Amino acid sequence: MAEPNGTFSIEAHASSDGYSWKYRKYPAAGMPRGAVVFVHGIQSHAGWYESSCTQLAQAGYDVCLLDRRGAGMNAEERGDAPNFRRLLDDVAEFLTALPRTVPRGHAARRLPVFLGGISWGGKLAVALERRHPGLVDGLMLLCPGIFAKVRPPFWDRLSIFFTRLFRPRKKYPIPLSDPELFTASPDWQQFLRDDPLRLHQATARLLMESVRLDGYLRFAAKYVHVPVLLLLAGDDRIVRNEKTLAYVDRFATPDKTVIEYPGAHHTLEFEPDPNVFIGDMRAWLDRHAGVAGP
């Protein structure tokens, strides 16, 4: 567990419906080459990804990792969200508000913006291309949870379905309580057990919205026209890699880069040498940082 030795600030963003949610901002070292915005998984939060955010910032990218409403540092309506479209709108409003130019002599240079979807956040990243196209110049999908291996037991799913109609804010366990699903590292497993911000429960409403988002994604592949980087863990116990590969292959963009890490577990940040996948992200960003238009 290496110390990232980076600097960040905790900022707040107010969505159009009045909800104020927090995020971590890692400023670029020197003149920024681009901006990278990450959305995290169903249980995680910005505090899981300090090393990758720090290194990308040191490589010249303004990095923001958003804590989803009801998750991470956001205590209000914890474990809940009105619907998946509101979550997509949260990300879209943040992206729309980002500065898009930086000084360049007497002129200005357009700043390319990339969206990274981690685990469950990968569902939001892809769906955003359907609901709010044109906001980003590329997608990075890190073990995206589009096709999950782990689901609630059958009777819980049945209860969630009916409870959504009458008690939408009743909470159920998120079926990812075992830290070994995320990492083989004993140190990182203990980190997960001790993490006070890790989300262990979600409302029936949010869990049903996740299912509805799956349906929305069935028709989203044809809307993805931007370059895509897909990173997969070879020993992922949460995500179905084969189905994910087949789905990404349907994206409209011809610019698709796929890297799989044999023996790696779901959270690449927690691997013995995370510098490998961080270096791959940086190399991909460096290649695509100049593709944005004037």
Side-chain angles (χ1 to χ4, degrees):
M1 296 176 61
E3 293 295 329
N5 297 320
T7 59
F8 64 88
S9 59
I10 296 175
E11 311 285 345
H13 179 86
S15 292
S16 59
D17 68 345
Y19 190 99
S20 179
W21 45 268
K22 297 177 182 178
Y23 65 97
R24 291 193 185 200
K25 181 178 181 180
Y26 296 76
M31 185 67 69
R33 305 183 59 189
V36 182
V37 176
F38 285 105
V39 287
H40 61 76
I42 189 72
Q43 279 201 328
S44 62
H45 55 85
W48 288 25
Y49 309 104
E50 289 189 19
S51 291
S52 54
C53 291
T54 296
Q55 290 194 40
L56 293 181
Q58 291 171 348
Y61 295 92
D62 282 330
V63 181
C64 296
L65 209 153
L66 317 183
D67 269 6
R68 186 182 66 248
R69 64 169 64 203
M73 296 178 286
N74 302 311
E76 183 182 353
E77 300 175 9
R78 188 155 180 82
D80 190 31
N83 52 68
F84 75 83
R85 288 180 173 82
R86 180 64 259 179
L87 294 177
L88 294 174
D89 292 347
D90 284 349
V91 180
E93 290 171 7
F94 183 85
L95 290 168
T96 301
L98 277 180
R100 296 288 175 138
T101 58
V102 292
R104 188 179 184 179
H106 297 291
R109 177 177 64 86
R110 184 185 170 209
L111 196 69
V113 176
F114 303 93
L115 179 62
I118 305 168
S119 191
W120 194 87
K123 296 166 65 167
L124 297 178
V126 175
L128 194 80
E129 287 297 289
R130 179 181 176 185
R131 182 163 174 82
H132 296 285
L135 292 181
V136 299
D137 299 291
L139 294 181
M140 296 190 296
L141 304 176
L142 285 64
C143 304
I146 300 169
F147 300 97
K149 291 181 178 180
V150 183
R151 296 196 299 171
F154 172 77
W155 291 110
D156 280 359
R157 296 200 303 271
L158 194 62
S159 176
I160 289 166
F161 176 79
F162 287 106
T163 301
R164 165 67 180 86
L165 301 175
F166 305 106
R167 296 180 60 195
R169 289 184 171 84
K170 180 180 177 180
K171 293 183 178 179
Y172 290 84
I174 297 171
L176 297 170
S177 59
D178 185 356
E180 292 184 9
L181 293 172
F182 296 90
T183 176
S185 164
D187 288 340
W188 282 115
Q189 289 171 8
Q190 192 60 48
F191 166 83
L192 294 176
R193 293 188 190 98
D194 297 339
D195 182 8
L197 296 183
R198 183 181 174 197
L199 190 67
H200 294 280
Q201 293 183 315
T203 63
R205 177 166 65 174
L206 177 58
L207 293 172
M208 280 304 302
E209 286 302 310
S210 180
V211 175
R212 293 184 63 228
L213 177 56
D214 291 340
Y216 189 83
L217 285 167
R218 289 177 59 192
F219 306 98
K222 64 182 180 181
Y223 294 93
V224 181
H225 295 277
V226 297
V228 172
L229 172 65
L230 173 65
L231 303 182
L232 296 173
D235 286 350
D236 202 317
R237 296 172 57 186
I238 295 176
V239 169
R240 298 184 184 275
N241 286 347
E242 290 186 7
K243 283 193 171 184
T244 303
L245 284 165
Y247 180 73
V248 171
D249 190 56
R250 292 166 43 206
F251 286 179
T253 177
D255 189 343
K256 295 184 280 277
T257 302
V258 178
I259 303 174
E260 183 169 344
Y261 304 97
H265 288 64
H266 181 70
T267 304
L268 298 174
E269 192 90 7
F270 299 161
E271 285 299 294
D273 186 6
N275 294 328
V276 175
F277 97 92
I278 296 171
D280 289 336
M281 281 198 300
R282 175 180 173 178
W284 184 86
L285 287 167
D286 288 348
R287 288 198 304 272
H288 291 84
V291 302

